[in-house]
Amino acid sequence: MYGALWRVLPGPWWVRVLILVVLLAAVLYGLFFYVFPWVSDLVYPSEVTVE
């Protein structure tokens, strides 16, 4: 998967690295500000029981 992603990206290696860093930052931003708060409303840690 990573090799295919690396071959699809345009430009020299440093442009590819820059694009991947920006994509990673966008994914992390989306997770922290949209996905994790949404999931925290669905999961109640105080109601978990271990038997």
Side-chain angles (χ1 to χ4, degrees), residues 7-28:
R7 285 189 297 272
V8 170
L9 292 174
W13 69 270
W14 59 272
V15 173
R16 294 176 184 183
V17 170
L18 183 64
I19 292 171
L20 288 175
V21 168
V22 169
L23 287 175
L24 179 64
V27 167
L28 288 175

Side-chain angles (χ1 to χ4, degrees), residues 5-50:
L5 179 61
W6 190 255
R7 285 189 297 272
V8 170
L9 292 174
W13 69 270
W14 59 272
V15 173
R16 294 176 184 183
V17 170
L18 183 64
I19 292 171
L20 288 175
V21 168
V22 169
L23 287 175
L24 179 64
V27 167
L28 288 175
Y29 178 85
L31 284 174
F32 276 106
F33 290 102
Y34 296 104
V35 176
F36 293 156
W38 174 72
V39 171
S40 71
D41 291 338
L42 301 175
V43 177
Y44 302 106
S46 61
E47 295 180 7
V48 175
T49 58
V50 178

